[in-house]
């Protein structure tokens, strides 16, 4: 039974004109049936066989016909039904319930417009119909039919305003839910994009650093293979060690893409400044002269800042090796200055063949993104007299971590 009713309701909603025609027919039946009631019988209200006046039947038919178009032109329909109701209020005796069509039209106007319009048109309809009935109708001004017109027009306007308010509240709730859903989807997409960018930076840093070392050591081995095989073996050992380190770091980075419940997910901590000597050692073994100066007073950094500092130094030294060559000299300094940690990497530019600012890679861009994500600043550029300078300022305390200092 409920399925049949729901199916019928869906069909009527799909054809609003048919629904309004059905409503108009129902209102017409109610008005015609009500016209047989004689409220002035000997024993009060009584059912009689009185035939309505032809004028009353015509007015009821016109009022019902106008309701077919109540959704398309609600104010015009209200004017038409109000006009036929006004005629009936003035000449009808006994009076037929033509005003029922005006009440339905007023309800429609209240549903489809705003509250101010509802009050304005409702008061106008109520005043005109009630006033005309009291002043020009055949019944005494205090007759119950006159008071009924006043009451029913007020009920129509109030009920329509209540329905409109409820629809507006439901629509607002639906819009808030849709907006919240869109916000969640946008936030999820933003987080995915940030994670992809972070993993891309890590992959770039790992691959660029170790492949640069492998390239240098392989070149050394090829150069001294015939004349100094011992040195060639040492260079190949460095190649093997650099490639093993690259594979380990790649495995750890790619492992971040695994699901959180995967038992094979890596547990090795991300690199930080505590591995700075090991990092510098790989460049020294490749022939790059690197000097390190630290004045960070054993500051304990948040994991994100520690990783960013390590990656900035790694990428800067990789650029020195790629663009300035192994004959260059590099200086690395790590200094704690107030609430910040400052990282500086300098090189003298010996053997420089390319400016890293215009090298076509993504190293400097990755460094800048890392530092900016932590609300730090990065400054890069050529040095006066030759060479290149990378200077990063990172906050010791971030928005998501509160690292202490020793």
């Amino acid at each position: 039974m409920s399925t049949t009713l729901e199916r019928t309701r869906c069909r009527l909603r799909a054809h609003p004109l048919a629904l309004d025609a059905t409503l108009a027919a129902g209102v017409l039946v109610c008005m015609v049936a009500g016209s047989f009631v004689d409220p002035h019988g000997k024993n009060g209200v009584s059912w009689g066989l009185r035939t309505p006046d032809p004028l009353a039947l015509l007015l009821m038919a016109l009022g019902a016909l106008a309701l077919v178009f109540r959704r398309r032109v609600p104010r015009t329909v209200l004017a038409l039904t109000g006009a036929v109701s006004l005629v009936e209020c003035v000449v009808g005796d006994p009076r037929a319930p033509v005003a029922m069509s005006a009440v339905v039209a007023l309800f429609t106007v209240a549903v489809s417009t705003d509250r101010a319009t509802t009050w304005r048109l409702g008061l106008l309809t109520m005043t005109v119909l009630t006033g005309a009935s009291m002043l020009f109708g055949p019944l005494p001004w205090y007759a119950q039919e006159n008071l009924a017109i006043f009451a029913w027009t007020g009920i129509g306007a109030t009920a329509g305003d209540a329905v409109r308010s409820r629809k507006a509240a439901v629509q607002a709730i639906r819009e808030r839910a849709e907006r919240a859903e869109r916000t969640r989807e946008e936030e999820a997409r933003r987080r995915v994009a940030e994670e992809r960018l972070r993993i891309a930076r890590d992959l770039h840093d790992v691959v660029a650093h170790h492949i640069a070392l492998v390239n240098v050591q392989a070149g050394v081995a090829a150069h001294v293979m015939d004349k100094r095989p011992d040195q060639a073996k040492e260079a190949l050992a460095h190649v093997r060690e650099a490639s093993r380190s690259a594979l380990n770091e790649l495995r750890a980075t790619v492992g971040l893409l695994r699901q959180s419940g995967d038992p094979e997910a890596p547990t090795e901590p991300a690199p930080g400044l505590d591995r700075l000597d090991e990092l510098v050692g790989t460049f020294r073994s490749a022939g790059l002269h690197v000097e390190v100066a630290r004045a960070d007073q054993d500051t304990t950094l948040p994991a994100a800042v520690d990783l960013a500092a390590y990656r900035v130094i790694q990428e800067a030294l990789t650029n020195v090796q790629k663009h300035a060559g192994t004959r260059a000299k590099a200086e690395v300094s790590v200094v704690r200055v107030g609430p910040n940690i400052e990282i500086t990497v300098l090189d003298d530019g010996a053997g420089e063949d390319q400016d890293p600012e215009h090298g076509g890679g993504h190293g400097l861009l990755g460094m800048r993104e890392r530092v900016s994500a932590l609300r730090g600043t990065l400054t890069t550029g050529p040095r006066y007299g030759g060479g290149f300078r990378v200077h990063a300022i990172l906050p010791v305390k971030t928005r998501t971590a509160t690292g202490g200092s020793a």
Side-chain angles (χ1 to χ4, degrees):
M1 183 65 179
S2 60
T3 304
T4 304
L5 291 176
E6 185 65 26
R7 186 161 51 249
T8 303
R9 187 182 297 111
C10 291
R11 289 177 180 175
L12 289 176
R13 287 178 179 175
H15 302 85
L17 187 62
L19 177 60
D20 290 339
T22 303
L23 175 64
V27 172
L28 178 61
V29 170
C30 292
M31 289 191 295
V32 172
S35 65
F36 285 93
V37 177
D38 184 7
H40 301 290
K42 296 180 180 180
N43 298 319
V45 177
S46 63
W47 287 90
L49 298 177
R50 179 182 63 84
T51 304
D53 296 334
L55 178 60
L57 290 174
L58 177 62
L59 294 176
M60 286 186 287
L62 291 175
L65 181 62
L67 291 179
V68 177
F69 307 98
R70 67 187 187 95
R71 295 177 191 264
R72 297 185 177 181
V73 282
R75 300 190 188 188
T76 302
V77 170
L78 177 60
L80 292 175
T81 55
V84 297
S85 300
L86 180 61
V87 173
E88 176 62 20
C89 290
V90 174
V91 303
D93 185 23
R95 188 175 297 164
V98 180
M100 183 182 297
S101 60
V103 172
V104 176
L106 183 57
F107 173 86
T108 305
V109 170
V111 170
S112 59
T113 58
D114 56 276
R115 178 164 295 175
T117 303
T118 298
W119 281 104
R120 186 170 61 251
L121 295 180
L123 289 175
L124 178 62
T125 304
M126 185 187 307
T127 302
V128 171
L129 294 183
T130 305
S133 300
M134 290 182 175
L135 297 177
F136 306 107
L139 301 177
W141 68 269
Y142 51 84
Q144 62 181 1
E145 288 88 342
N146 297 336
L147 299 179
I149 292 176
F150 178 85
W152 281 108
T153 51
I155 290 174
T158 304
D161 183 70
V163 171
R164 181 194 54 78
S165 299
R166 181 181 179 277
K167 287 183 177 180
V170 172
Q171 182 64 23
I173 293 173
R174 184 180 294 111
E175 290 178 354
R176 284 197 297 269
E178 293 175 354
R179 186 163 52 250
E181 184 65 23
R182 288 195 301 270
T183 302
R184 283 194 295 269
E185 293 176 357
E186 293 172 358
E187 179 67 14
R189 286 195 294 268
R190 184 185 65 80
R191 290 182 180 275
V192 169
E194 290 180 351
E195 184 66 11
R196 291 176 60 187
L197 182 60
R198 186 185 67 80
I199 293 175
R201 286 196 299 259
D202 285 341
L203 287 174
H204 173 272
D205 292 343
V206 171
V207 172
H209 166 59
H210 290 289
I211 295 303
L213 294 180
V214 169
N215 180 61
V216 171
Q217 295 292 351
V220 171
H223 182 68
V224 300
M225 179 67 72
D226 297 331
K227 298 181 180 179
R228 285 175 288 179
D230 293 339
Q231 187 174 352
K233 290 181 180 180
E234 182 180 355
L236 292 176
H238 288 305
V239 169
R240 184 173 62 251
E241 182 63 28
S243 61
R244 183 185 298 112
S245 299
L247 288 175
N248 291 335
E249 292 200 34
L250 282 173
R251 186 179 298 111
T253 302
V254 174
L256 295 175
L257 299 175
R258 296 179 182 272
Q259 296 181 356
S260 59
D262 195 333
E264 298 181 2
T267 58
E268 181 181 355
L273 291 180
D274 56 335
R275 295 176 55 183
L276 180 58
D277 293 338
E278 177 185 344
L279 174 66
V280 172
T282 61
F283 285 99
R284 287 173 177 166
S285 64
L288 182 66
H289 181 75
V290 183
E291 295 182 359
V292 179
R294 299 190 64 171
D296 50 347
Q297 293 83 37
D298 297 327
T299 300
T300 301
L301 299 176
V305 177
D306 203 19
L307 175 62
Y310 179 88
R311 294 302 190 195
V312 167
I313 296 174
Q314 182 185 51
E315 179 61 29
L317 291 178
T318 301
N319 285 338
V320 172
Q321 190 172 47
K322 287 195 303 183
H323 301 297
T326 56
R327 290 180 296 169
K329 295 181 180 180
E331 299 177 3
V332 177
S333 66
V334 181
V335 181
R336 171 70 182 270
V337 181
N340 302 318
I341 192 84
E342 296 192 10
I343 309 296
T344 305
V345 179
L346 307 174
D347 69 82
D348 59 5
E352 183 177 5
D353 60 354
Q354 188 179 18
D355 185 353
E357 288 277 12
H358 304 89
H362 301 280
L364 294 180
L365 177 61
M367 281 194 288
R368 185 166 287 107
E369 290 173 346
R370 283 185 182 277
V371 174
S372 298
L374 298 172
R375 290 191 172 181
T377 58
L378 179 73
T379 305
T380 61
R383 298 174 61 194
Y384 179 76
F388 202 78
R389 175 178 182 269
V390 175
H391 181 68
I393 301 177
L394 297 169
V396 174
K397 294 184 179 181
T398 64
R399 290 173 294 174
T400 56
T402 54
S405 60

